[in-house]
């Protein structure tokens, strides 16, 4: 099963989502989008799609206007890295 075929549901409203799920969260749940917890799911998704760690961190940093060090530290604390 490819990542595009995966069924995802919004963790906030429960509707079925299509990739990229973060666009739904950004537009429908902007208060949640800004929470760092979103970084965990994005990072896992990007790694599953074959992106290396550095590229994954760069993309997340650009989406959330955060430094890669901040993201790396948060993901380490969440035991994702």
């Amino acid at each position: 099963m490819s990542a595009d075929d995966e069924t995802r549901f919004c963790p906030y409203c429960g509707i079925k989502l299509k990739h990229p799920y973060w666009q739904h969260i950004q537009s429908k749940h902007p208060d949640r989008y800004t929470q760092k917890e979103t970084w965990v799911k994005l990072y896992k998704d990007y790694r599953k799609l074959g992106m290396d760690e550095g590229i994954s961190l760069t993309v997340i940093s650009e989406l959330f206007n955060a430094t890669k060090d901040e993201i790396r530290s948060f993901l380490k604390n969440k035991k994702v890295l």
Side-chain angles (χ1 to χ4, degrees):
M1 176 185 282
S2 75
D4 290 335
D5 296 332
E6 278 186 51
T7 299
R8 290 274 164 83
F9 295 90
C10 175
Y12 309 114
C13 67
I15 68 165
K16 187 175 179 179
L17 301 175
K18 295 182 179 179
H19 239 38
Y21 80 94
W22 60 266
Q23 286 179 332
H24 165 83
I25 294 172
Q26 183 181 33
S27 65
K28 302 297 182 188
H29 310 287
D31 56 321
R32 302 287 188 162
Y33 179 77
T34 59
Q35 294 179 353
K36 292 180 180 181
E37 290 297 325
T38 304
W39 297 354
V40 172
K41 188 67 175 145
L42 280 174
Y43 181 79
K44 288 179 178 179
D45 281 353
Y46 291 154
R47 296 291 287 155
K48 192 185 298 185
L49 290 171
M51 286 186 186
D52 69 21
E53 180 181 314
I55 292 172
S56 299
L57 294 173
T58 298
V59 171
I60 295 168
S61 74
E62 290 173 0
L63 286 172
F64 290 88
N65 196 27
T67 68
K68 287 194 280 187
D69 288 338
E70 178 183 5
I71 296 163
R72 184 179 287 110
S73 174
F74 178 79
L75 294 175
K76 282 183 180 179
N77 287 337
K78 291 293 182 178
K79 301 194 182 340
V80 177
L81 287 179

